Amino acid sequence: MILIVLVLLTVSSLTFGNRHNRDKAVQVRVQSADEWLRVENVLEKYLKKQDIDIWAYPNHNGKANLLIPGDLFNVIANQFDLIGLSYDVTVDDVSRLLDDIDVQLQEWNKEHKGIVGKYPTYDEILAWFDELKTNYSGWIDTLDIGNTYDGRIHRSLKISTGGTGKWKVYIEGAMHAREWISPATVIYITDQLIQGYANGDPEIVEWMEMLDWYILPVANPDGYDYCFTDDRLWRKNRRPNNGTNCVGTDLNRNWSYQWGGVGADPDPCSNTYRGEHAESEVEVQNIVNLIMPEAEQFIYYMAYHSWGQQFFTRWDYTADEVPSDHEQLLDLAHRAVNAIVAVHDMYYEAGTAPELMYAFSGSSADWARGVAGIKYPYLEELRDNGTYSFILPPEQIVPTGEESWAGFQVVVREIVSKCSGISPPGPCLP
Ligand SMILES: *[C@@H]1O[C@H](CO)[C@@H](O)[C@H](O)[C@H]1NC(C)=O
Ligand SMILES: *[C@@H]1O[C@H](CO)[C@@H](O)[C@H](O)[C@H]1NC(C)=O
Ligand SMILES: *[C@@H]1O[C@H](CO)[C@@H](O)[C@H](O)[C@H]1NC(C)=O
Ligand SMILES: *[C@@H]1O[C@H](CO)[C@@H](O)[C@H](O)[C@H]1NC(C)=O
Ligand SMILES: [Zn+2]
């Protein structure tokens, strides 16, 4: 009897952690590009088999984060010692953390009503869409932009108070499946917009009258669902790759602007696999098809990712070039970050990804400017700074939403001040 109870306990407590038995999250400190090359040499054969997952490439402080299976840790730690690399174990047992947070989530979901402040499943998000449509039928609708590889509906929310010739805003979450704080933040922001308009907040009423909103909390529904059913730390989409057992393309490496450059792996087993060619993935194509026909009406493209606490201006793909309006976009990013920091005194930075983190090519935000020509293309890396990484505890969902909403508002206010009274394609005031 005791045995049976023990077995049951073990099984039920392994729902989230089972794929990551005793994995360790490790932060390494590299002093130079050469040192990182030596790290990659150590990791190469494990990366090919998807045994090790690079959570974050070296940032401007030389810190990179890895997920290493428990049974490989000693071997790899020895090799790190041999090349003189310093590292810290940031999470000693990832499976235990996943299971602890899972227990917290179950409690949290029991104690809290509604969808805001939670990590909802894709189906729960679609059910919320339906409720919103019913409750606010005059101005909230859903828009199906296609199907996913596995045949799910790829659904966005469309908020429009009517009228034509309006500027459009696009908000994107969960392009990377495991970044759960991203859709949760998109939901928080959407709720603020809706409540603000429904309650007659004068500023939000003005925004709603001037702008149409396309909100896609889950850009990668197959991957996102897979996190709930199979592997909480899944990143890519779920399309099998020909000639390998490895599944999935990194959807944020598959966009057509500067596709296939640095930070986008040609190896299908890599977690940053760029795909066979630009826009090979149906989820990316769906978003391209949503935006491109009316690209010149889109004024703001906001992509939420995690983690890192950064607000990125273009470009992601190179440190050698910036758009001609870089100073203006960077200044706005700094103002957004000041507003974000002011809410909970959480540290965020503004700048380009190559400056603050690392370069990566084929991103949606680069595409938004480089191909679609959208004036305000930003990517925010939400909480945290590596303490919990992708496994952010539920009590941080609302605070992350609150601070991100503050940054989001700064950008919308700028758009309103520059574009009010000017119809697309503009130009708006300089
Ligand atoms: C929709 O309206 C019902 C009835 O008033 C309410 O219970 C529900 O919370 C509302 N849902 C949303 C998402 O606004
Ligand atoms: C992958 O394999 C399928 C089935 O054999 C084939 O239809 C498809 O064209 C292949 N794709 C590529 C990019 O080779
Ligand atoms: C990704 O982008 C590349 C280059 O544009 C494209 O050839 C490929 O089919 C796309 N899809 C995937 C899954 O990489
Ligand atoms: C991350 O932030 C927490 C709380 O703000 C802080 O205590 C911790 O030192 C930071 N860790 C890193 C690696 O920056
Ligand atoms: Zn991401």
Side-chain angles (χ1 to χ4, degrees):
M1 184 61 192
I2 288 171
L3 237 175
I4 291 170
V5 170
L6 273 180
V7 167
L8 282 178
L9 271 177
T10 311
V11 169
S12 72
S13 70
L14 285 181
T15 46
F16 272 96
N18 55 357
R19 290 252 175 164
H20 297 281
N21 192 16
R22 295 182 300 110
D23 283 9
K24 289 182 194 295
V26 174
Q27 184 168 75
V28 305
R29 269 159 288 142
V30 295
Q31 317 286 340
S32 64
D34 277 354
E35 188 168 22
W36 177 247
L37 277 181
R38 287 193 287 277
V39 174
E40 287 195 308
N41 282 337
V42 169
L43 302 180
E44 192 177 3
K45 68 177 175 191
Y46 306 106
L47 291 171
K48 284 242 176 303
K49 289 188 291 174
Q50 290 190 305
D51 281 341
I52 286 183
D53 184 359
I54 300 179
W55 274 4
Y57 286 82
N59 65 10
H60 61 310
N61 295 321
K63 289 179 180 162
N65 293 71
L66 311 171
L67 183 69
I68 301 178
D71 54 4
L72 285 179
F73 179 75
N74 285 337
V75 176
I76 292 189
N78 280 336
Q79 295 188 54
F80 283 170
D81 290 340
L82 281 176
I83 62 170
L85 180 78
S86 51
Y87 59 86
D88 294 309
V89 174
T90 54
V91 181
D92 187 54
D93 184 345
V94 170
S95 46
R96 207 177 58 209
L97 175 61
L98 286 168
D99 291 337
D100 287 351
I101 297 277
D102 188 27
V103 170
Q104 283 183 37
L105 283 181
Q106 289 173 21
E107 280 302 305
W108 188 265
N109 289 344
K110 267 188 246 154
E111 286 165 12
H112 296 83
K113 283 198 190 317
I115 197 170
V116 179
K118 289 192 187 151
Y119 293 129
T121 63
Y122 189 54
D123 282 346
E124 286 167 342
I125 294 172
L126 296 186
W128 178 59
F129 282 4
D130 287 341
E131 258 185 61
L132 291 172
K133 241 167 91 161
T134 307
N135 287 11
Y136 307 109
S137 60
W139 47 288
I140 300 188
D141 207 348
T142 52
L143 183 66
D144 292 350
I145 62 173
N147 289 320
T148 66
Y149 175 78
D150 280 337
R152 289 183 178 80
I153 296 168
H154 209 189
R155 183 165 288 169
S156 87
L157 207 56
K158 182 182 173 189
I159 305 183
S160 173
T161 56
T164 53
K166 293 165 81 169
W167 293 101
K168 298 175 191 292
V169 174
Y170 167 81
I171 312 174
E172 170 185 286
M175 178 146 289
H176 292 138
R178 63 194 174 191
E179 298 167 7
W180 284 11
I181 190 60
S182 156
T185 299
V186 173
I187 287 166
Y188 184 91
I189 288 170
T190 305
D191 182 62
Q192 290 294 312
L193 288 168
I194 293 171
Q195 300 307 326
Y197 185 67
N199 296 329
D201 177 315
E203 185 176 38
I204 295 187
V205 170
E206 184 189 4
W207 297 356
M208 287 291 189
E209 284 169 359
M210 180 175 155
L211 303 162
D212 284 343
W213 311 78
Y214 294 78
I215 299 167
L216 188 67
V218 184
N220 175 11
D222 294 347
Y224 188 66
D225 261 3
Y226 191 73
C227 286
F228 283 83
T229 56
D230 287 77
D231 182 355
R232 170 66 183 85
L233 295 175
W234 188 258
R235 170 181 171 93
K236 302 190 281 184
N237 76 348
R238 292 291 308 160
R239 187 163 80 100
N241 295 315
N242 282 357
T244 83
N245 292 325
C246 299
V247 171
T249 288
D250 182 342
L251 295 183
N252 213 31
R253 300 293 184 277
N254 194 234
W255 294 71
S256 60
Y257 192 67
Q258 298 288 339
W259 180 85
V262 294
D265 207 315
D267 178 352
C269 291
S270 163
N271 238 347
T272 54
Y273 177 47
R274 66 193 186 184
E276 285 162 22
H277 52 92
E279 287 163 26
S280 56
E281 299 314 293
V282 68
E283 294 85 3
V284 171
Q285 291 160 14
N286 292 340
I287 303 169
V288 170
N289 293 339
L290 166 70
I291 292 187
M292 268 329 266
E294 298 176 317
E296 59 185 23
Q297 285 176 255
F298 280 87
I299 188 79
Y300 182 16
Y301 190 112
M302 186 70 225
Y304 287 101
H305 286 257
S306 76
W307 40 273
Q309 298 171 196
Q310 288 141 333
F311 202 92
F312 292 142
T313 63
R314 304 307 89 220
W315 302 104
D316 295 330
Y317 82 91
T318 183
D320 299 337
E321 273 183 56
V322 287
S324 59
D325 55 354
H326 175 66
E327 287 309 320
Q328 187 193 8
L329 293 176
L330 181 62
D331 173 67
L332 182 56
H334 278 296
R335 284 187 277 137
V337 159
N338 289 343
I340 291 169
V341 173
V343 178
H344 291 296
D345 206 19
M346 189 56 81
Y347 179 76
Y348 279 73
E349 297 171 296
T352 67
E355 244 169 34
L356 300 182
M357 192 176 70
Y358 48 82
F360 54 99
S361 50
S363 74
S364 68
D366 274 6
W367 174 88
R369 171 49 81 84
V371 175
I374 296 173
K375 169 72 185 175
Y376 297 98
Y378 287 113
L379 187 165
E380 183 177 338
E381 295 281 359
L382 299 161
R383 293 191 191 188
D384 60 7
N385 60 359
T387 308
Y388 293 99
S389 61
F390 303 111
I391 317 163
L392 198 66
E395 60 274 12
Q396 294 204 38
I397 299 173
V398 165
T400 307
E402 288 166 343
E403 65 203 16
S404 304
W405 166 239
F408 181 84
Q409 287 176 284
V410 168
V411 179
V412 177
R413 281 191 193 111
E414 176 85 356
I415 291 166
V416 170
S417 80
K418 301 272 188 191
C419 304
S420 187
I422 300 169
S423 294
C428 298
L429 301 177

